Amino acid sequence: MTSRNPPFQDYKSNGESHEVLDLTEYARRHHWWNRVFGHSSGPLEGKYSVATQIVMGGVTGWCAGFLFQKAGKLAATTVGGGFLLLQVASHNGYVQINWKRVGEDVNKAKRQMKKQANKAAPEINNIIEEATDFIKRNIVISSGFVGGFLLGLAS
């Protein structure tokens, strides 16, 4: 009977022992690893059943939506709290704000953003096209992800 664990080697470095795992041998012995992380490209519909695709998309979508909701609340609280604190400090005379300079800096930032947006437009279009192709090829898992994402936002 052979061992289900892949062979490993011990290496010693600075008195510490490290285990090196051969992933190619591991992938040969564990077929699920090859199915998930294999080099076969193409739609997921040939690899998994419809129910599995919906569950995979739904679970990952719910996790992404839930994290997005929590991070959004944290960002809104941080920005709003910082703005409120700055206004209170300004009102009590702790901070003097040069509004003319703020306006100039905002206009300068707008100009720089417009220049960067014009440079990035072809790259963004390429990313959008690739994402659209992926969604078309994997419509079941994509729809599961969208549904899960919306549920994650609602929870």
Side-chain angles (χ1 to χ4, degrees):
M1 180 172 175
T2 61
S3 171
R4 300 225 7 122
N5 294 327
F8 66 91
Q9 297 172 339
D10 283 328
Y11 287 97
K12 295 191 180 202
S13 167
N14 298 334
E16 296 179 15
S17 178
H18 300 281
E19 181 179 323
V20 177
L21 183 64
D22 183 10
L23 290 179
T24 56
E25 184 66 29
Y26 187 84
R28 278 190 218 119
R29 292 185 182 181
H30 296 85
H31 298 289
W32 67 269
W33 178 275
N34 199 14
R35 277 188 281 151
V36 174
F37 298 107
H39 294 291
S40 62
S41 60
L44 293 173
E45 64 202 27
K47 296 180 185 178
Y48 302 103
S49 69
V50 173
T52 304
Q53 291 180 56
I54 290 174
V55 169
M56 286 172 43
V59 168
T60 56
W62 183 86
C63 291
F66 186 77
L67 292 174
F68 187 77
Q69 175 206 30
K70 295 298 180 187
K73 283 183 180 179
L74 179 65
T77 302
T78 303
V79 170
F83 183 72
L84 181 66
L85 187 63
L86 185 63
Q87 288 296 324
V88 169
S90 175
H91 182 71
N92 289 328
Y94 290 109
V95 177
Q96 296 291 325
I97 299 174
N98 184 350
W99 289 107
K100 182 179 177 183
R101 185 169 177 191
V102 170
E104 291 171 358
D105 288 346
V106 167
N107 289 333
K108 182 179 176 183
K110 282 182 188 177
R111 288 191 300 273
Q112 288 178 347
M113 286 177 63
K114 284 181 182 178
K115 288 180 185 177
Q116 292 296 328
N118 291 338
K119 289 179 185 176
E123 295 169 358
I124 291 172
N125 289 337
N126 190 19
I127 291 171
I128 290 172
E129 287 175 12
E130 288 178 10
T132 305
D133 289 342
F134 176 82
I135 290 170
K136 286 179 183 176
R137 284 185 281 127
N138 301 295
I139 191 70
V140 176
I141 198 167
S142 300
S143 59
F145 180 86
V146 170
F149 185 82
L150 293 175
L151 285 173
L153 282 177
S155 40

